[in-house]
Amino acid sequence: MTGGPVDPTMPIPTGGDRRGAPSDPTSPALPGAYDPTVAVPPVVPPPPGGPGGPGGPGGPAGPPPSGGSGDNRTRIILGIVAAVVVIVVGVVVALVVSGGSDKSAPSTSTTSTSASSTTSTTKPSPSTTVTTTVNGPQITAYNATPNPVNCPNNSATVQMTLTWATSNALGVTISIDGPGKFGDYGANGNAQVPFACGGSHSYTITANGQSGQSAQKTITVQGQVVPGPTSTTTTAPPATTTTTHP
C-alpha cells in the first residue's frame, strides 16, 4: 500500500502494510500511523490549482491567486496615504479660504470695556426723637391796691384794683373768696374788683397755659373803716342888754 490518504471504510490490511503507514520510511508519519485504532483525519480537498484540482495538473484552471497578506498590507497602506492626502488638501483649502477672507474684509477691532459698578450701602442712622418740653405758665407779678382798703363803714362795698403779669400763659381767671370764678382776663393787665367792707377777702389769680397747665397766686386784702370829716356846730353868744341911765 502506497502512502497518502487512507479511506477509513476500507478494511484494515492484514499484511505487512499498516493503515496510515507511509510508503517511504523517511516520510513523516501521519497521525494515527501504525495504530489501527486511531482515526485518521478526514481528507481535505486540495485547493484550486492544486494537484488534481482546478488549475492543477490535469484539472481546470482556477481563479487567479488573491495575492495573500501582501496584497492586504498594500491596500491598507494605499488607504492611509489617500486619507492623509485628503486631510492635507482640506487643510490647504481652508487656509486659502481663510486667507482670502482676511484680505477682502477689513479687520475690525472691538474693545470691550467692563465698567465696575460699586454699590455703597449706607446704614440708616437711628431715629432720634426730639421731645420739646413746653414751659408751664408763670405769674411774674400780682398785687392789689389799695391794701388795706379804706371803708366808710363796715357795711359799705368799695372798688379796688388787681394788677398782674404772666409768662407762657394764654389768659388768667380771677376768683374771690374761693374756687368760684369771678371773671376771665388776658395774660397781662388789671381789673377793678369789689371789696365788701367789714372784714378781709382773698383774691386768687390763675394763669392758664397750654396742655392744661396752670399757676396760681392769692392775695388777701384787709379792710378798715375810716371815719368821715366831723361837722362843726357854732353857738350864738348870749344877748347883751344895754341899760341906759338917765
Side-chain angles (χ1 to χ4, degrees):
M1 181 177 179
T2 60
V6 178
D7 188 357
T9 61
M10 295 179 62
I12 300 174
T14 57
D17 293 335
R18 305 179 68 179
R19 188 180 65 174
S23 58
D24 186 0
T26 62
S27 299
L30 296 175
Y34 309 105
D35 189 353
T37 63
V38 177
V40 178
V43 177
V44 179
S66 61
S69 60
D71 293 340
N72 293 334
R73 286 195 297 270
T74 302
R75 285 195 294 270
I76 292 173
I77 292 172
L78 292 177
I80 292 173
V81 171
V84 171
V85 170
V86 170
I87 293 173
V88 171
V89 171
V91 171
V92 172
V93 171
L95 291 176
V96 171
V97 172
S98 62
S101 300
D102 292 341
K103 292 180 181 180
S104 61
S107 61
T108 302
S109 176
T110 303
T111 302
S112 176
T113 303
S114 176
S116 175
S117 176
T118 303
T119 303
S120 61
T121 303
T122 304
K123 294 182 179 179
S125 59
S127 59
T128 302
T129 302
V130 178
T131 302
T132 303
T133 303
V134 178
N135 295 328
Q138 295 180 355
I139 301 173
T140 58
Y142 181 45
N143 56 74
T145 56
N147 188 14
V149 176
N150 294 329
C151 293
N153 53 61
N154 290 329
S155 60
T157 299
V158 297
Q159 297 293 314
M160 59 170 289
T161 302
L162 295 178
T163 304
W164 65 88
T166 65
S167 63
N168 303 322
L170 301 177
V172 300
T173 300
I174 294 176
S175 60
I176 301 173
D177 293 334
K181 181 173 67 173
F182 177 76
D184 293 322
Y185 303 90
N188 302 289
N190 58 76
Q192 294 288 321
V193 293
F195 179 85
C197 295
S200 62
H201 303 281
S202 62
Y203 295 83
T204 302
I205 185 172
T206 302
N208 302 309
Q210 297 179 1
S211 303
Q213 296 172 311
S214 63
Q216 286 185 344
K217 274 190 177 183
T218 301
I219 294 177
T220 300
V221 180
Q222 185 70 40
Q224 62 181 359
V225 176
V226 176
T230 58
S231 59
T232 302
T233 302
T234 302
T235 303
T240 301
T241 301
T242 299
T243 302
T244 303
H245 296 278

